[in-house]
Amino acid sequence: MSGGLLVAGTTSDAGKSVLTAGICRWLHRQGVRVAPFKAQNMSNNSAVVVGPDGRGGEIGRAQAMQAAACGVAPDLRFNPVLLKPGSDLSSQVVLLGEAVDTVTAGNFRSLRPRLAQTAFAALDELRGAYDVVVCEGAGSPAEINLRSSDYVNLGLARYANLPTIVVGDIDRGGVFAALFGTVALLEPADQALVAGFVINKFRGDRGLLAPGLDMLASVTGRPTYGVLPWHLDLWLDAEDSLAYGRVLGRPAAPVGAEWLDVAVVRLPRISNATDVEALATEPGVRVRLTVEPAELAAADLVVLPGSKSTVDDLAWLRETGLADAVRAHVAAGRPLLGICGGFQMLGRVIHDEVESRRGSVPGLGLLPVEITFAGRKTVTRSSGTADGDVPVSGYEIHHGYVSRTDPGLSPVLRYADGRDEGAILGNVAGTHWHGAFECDGFRRRFLTTAARQAGRTGFRVAPDTSFQAVRDRALDLLGDLVEEHLDTAALWRLIDEGCPAGLPFVPPGAPAPPA
């Protein structure tokens, strides 16, 4: 078998990432050698993968999660093109893990051939190495203004002759119009590769949905392969922080007598917001993303997360009054944590001639450190200890580094080679490491200290919470949902035989894109 499948969606956040992961998990449990693939991802949530040359590179966080669903190590080829938005008009281009350029509307046409060629070559290699490659599209395949330059949706399907299923989120409403309209806006050659549909996030009586599914099949000539139910426990490894609700996950009741309330500032260019997901797996820890100064005042612990535009997001903190709320929180003796870009904001000054090119900008002044931005990005996996005896591992993705610090500061962590990392001054801490809270011992130690500083003497960490076990359960749940609610026999036929011939054309269609 050298099969493939493309999972497209009616919109962003329709469920492409989780459906791809679920299909991958289902195939992996059948003994199939399966890999995920997303030709181009646009996200500031990334993971670090060590490439064949030993250097660290970035891929989308969702593809790292999908790799776990496949039971394989993440690979740079799983997401050959990653666009990391730094503003509304430009994105950093990460090609096979390495930042190589900046893309804008003005120069995309000149960059596109290189990006597409790299993506197609990566897919070809993966199809030679695995039994099945499950590909994830981006946005919607019916973005007809972008079709001529597309290499991640039907452009990819046309290149590799991939059968395509389109997933729609019924929780948003209008799912039948979205599914029909997606097909009807495609040119005939693209429509010929759309095999059918999947409904996502359904709540209620399936019988009430059945007439709509029958009518959708009648007007498109394509079946619905299944209806996935809405499920509370599918929230880990979000592609975008906007996918989170007000509160992450479903916080379990506290072990002790008190809750610990964690407020995470939702920065405009927030990156690796997934860092705080591990905190939300702890019983009695309520984690919410917010842009409200009043919510910081009520929180026990405040977190400034990573940012793709540190200086610009720092200016936004000041403009919104959140910077004053952060200072008031610290002045009240409650704990504050900065991660990566959030750590950089805590210092006295940021020297940035690389990202924002604003020169020297005053920081929040809560840690006696200075930050300087380097031209070459640090992208690496790291390991070490906290408090001398707690093993910690994580990864780093940053241009800024600590260029000056006052003596006497305590480190948050120590690298395996003995170097200090991060800084602690009283109730303020900052680190460049992402993913550290996924280490159970470090997370428990940190939360215990934070609760004490916040005056939550009745809070207790659970002794047995395993973040990896929580993630594994979520991946198995995805596999279960695919097995229970999709026509897996039909999926096998698509993967093995390709898209059925003779699918009807749905008018009006779109004109073929220019060559």
Side-chain angles (χ1 to χ4, degrees):
M1 183 187 296
S2 183
L5 182 71
L6 175 67
V7 178
T10 55
T11 61
S12 293
D13 198 35
K16 296 184 295 291
S17 295
V18 294
L19 179 56
T20 299
I23 293 173
C24 285
R25 193 65 160 189
W26 163 63
L27 289 169
H28 171 61
R29 296 196 306 205
Q30 308 304 309
V32 176
R33 293 180 305 141
V34 58
F37 181 79
K38 186 160 186 170
Q40 175 189 292
N41 199 344
M42 178 175 279
S43 177
N44 279 329
N45 283 349
S46 60
V48 172
V49 176
V50 178
D53 59 1
R55 291 190 300 176
E58 295 179 75
I59 65 172
R61 177 89 177 194
Q63 280 63 66
M65 177 268 289
Q66 291 161 356
C70 297
V72 299
D75 188 312
L76 296 175
R77 296 173 298 179
F78 293 169
N79 177 207
V81 181
L82 174 62
L83 304 182
K84 304 189 75 174
S87 72
D88 291 340
L89 300 176
S90 67
S91 295
Q92 184 182 63
V93 179
V94 178
L95 195 63
L96 287 175
E98 183 176 357
V100 297
D101 210 333
T102 298
V103 66
T104 65
N107 71 347
F108 178 73
R109 184 176 294 274
S110 63
L111 286 173
R112 188 261 178 200
R114 179 186 179 191
L115 305 183
Q117 182 180 24
T118 301
F120 292 160
L123 177 59
D124 289 342
E125 289 182 14
L126 292 174
R127 294 190 79 177
Y130 290 89
D131 298 330
V132 177
V133 179
V134 183
C135 305
E136 177 188 344
S140 163
E143 291 166 350
I144 53 179
N145 56 316
L146 303 176
R147 176 61 184 91
S148 63
S149 59
D150 170 51
Y151 59 91
V152 63
N153 289 307
L154 272 303
L156 181 74
R158 291 271 287 275
Y159 169 80
N161 196 30
L162 296 172
T164 300
I165 57 177
V166 180
V167 58
D169 179 357
I170 198 170
D171 203 45
R172 296 178 177 218
V175 72
F176 292 117
L179 292 170
F180 175 84
T182 295
V183 179
L185 280 175
L186 300 176
E187 62 163 305
D190 286 350
Q191 288 195 21
L193 290 173
V194 177
F197 314 107
V198 170
I199 303 286
N200 190 32
K201 298 182 185 177
F202 179 70
R203 316 186 214 199
D205 183 352
R206 172 70 186 271
L208 296 176
L209 193 64
L213 301 180
D214 293 340
M215 284 186 279
L216 182 65
S218 175
V219 297
T220 66
R222 291 157 173 85
T224 295
Y225 290 105
V227 178
L228 295 174
W230 188 85
H231 205 290
L232 283 167
D233 292 330
L234 298 178
W235 58 274
L236 283 176
D237 296 298
E239 184 89 287
D240 190 308
S241 68
L242 294 177
Y244 297 131
R246 292 278 293 168
V247 177
L248 271 64
R250 284 196 298 166
V255 173
E258 290 186 287
W259 287 79
L260 190 70
D261 189 62
V262 180
V264 182
V265 179
R266 194 193 291 269
L267 300 167
R269 295 297 170 191
I270 190 171
S271 67
N272 285 67
T274 46
D275 282 327
V276 297
E277 290 182 342
L279 300 181
T281 63
E282 286 287 347
V285 179
R286 181 178 182 269
V287 180
R288 54 199 162 92
L289 275 74
T290 183
V291 295
E292 298 296 333
E295 293 196 356
L296 301 194
D300 299 314
L301 166 66
V302 169
V303 179
L304 290 180
S307 168
K308 185 63 185 68
S309 300
T310 301
V311 169
D312 290 338
D313 279 356
L314 176 58
W316 174 83
L317 281 179
R318 291 187 165 111
E319 292 165 3
T320 57
L322 285 161
D324 291 336
V326 167
R327 290 193 183 95
H329 177 87
V330 171
R334 294 192 294 272
L336 170 68
L337 172 68
I339 303 174
C340 200
F343 170 33
Q344 295 163 8
M345 295 177 193
L346 300 181
R348 289 172 175 162
V349 63
I350 300 172
H351 306 288
D352 181 11
E353 298 291 351
V354 175
E355 194 174 76
S356 69
R357 300 182 182 179
R358 301 276 184 86
S360 296
V361 177
L364 295 176
L366 296 173
L367 285 175
V369 300
E370 292 187 15
I371 301 294
T372 299
F373 274 61
R376 186 169 183 82
K377 185 191 290 189
T378 296
V379 182
T380 186
R381 298 201 66 86
S382 303
S383 62
T385 59
D387 298 328
D389 62 344
V390 180
V392 187
S393 60
Y395 56 99
E396 300 177 56
I397 309 170
H398 53 90
H399 282 285
Y401 64 95
V402 177
S403 55
R404 183 176 178 182
T405 183
D406 281 3
L409 279 178
S410 300
V412 173
L413 305 161
R414 280 199 171 89
Y415 290 95
D417 62 9
R419 290 176 295 135
D420 290 350
E421 197 289 321
I424 300 174
L425 181 64
N427 54 329
V428 180
T431 175
H432 272 127
W433 284 25
H434 298 289
F437 289 126
E438 295 177 17
C439 302
D440 300 329
F442 175 67
R443 183 180 64 253
R444 293 175 191 138
R445 184 78 60 93
F446 176 85
L447 289 173
T448 298
T449 300
R452 175 179 52 78
Q453 291 174 334
R456 294 294 185 189
T457 57
F459 174 80
R460 297 288 183 273
V461 292
D464 55 356
T465 302
S466 165
F467 179 79
Q468 187 57 53
V470 172
R471 174 174 282 159
D472 287 343
R473 284 197 297 272
L475 294 174
D476 283 332
L477 173 60
L478 288 172
D480 293 342
L481 292 174
V482 166
E483 287 192 37
E484 294 170 15
H485 298 280
L486 298 193
D487 184 348
T488 54
L491 290 181
W492 271 119
R493 288 193 296 272
L494 285 180
I495 292 169
D496 199 25
E497 302 171 8
C499 201
L503 290 170
F505 172 70
V506 180

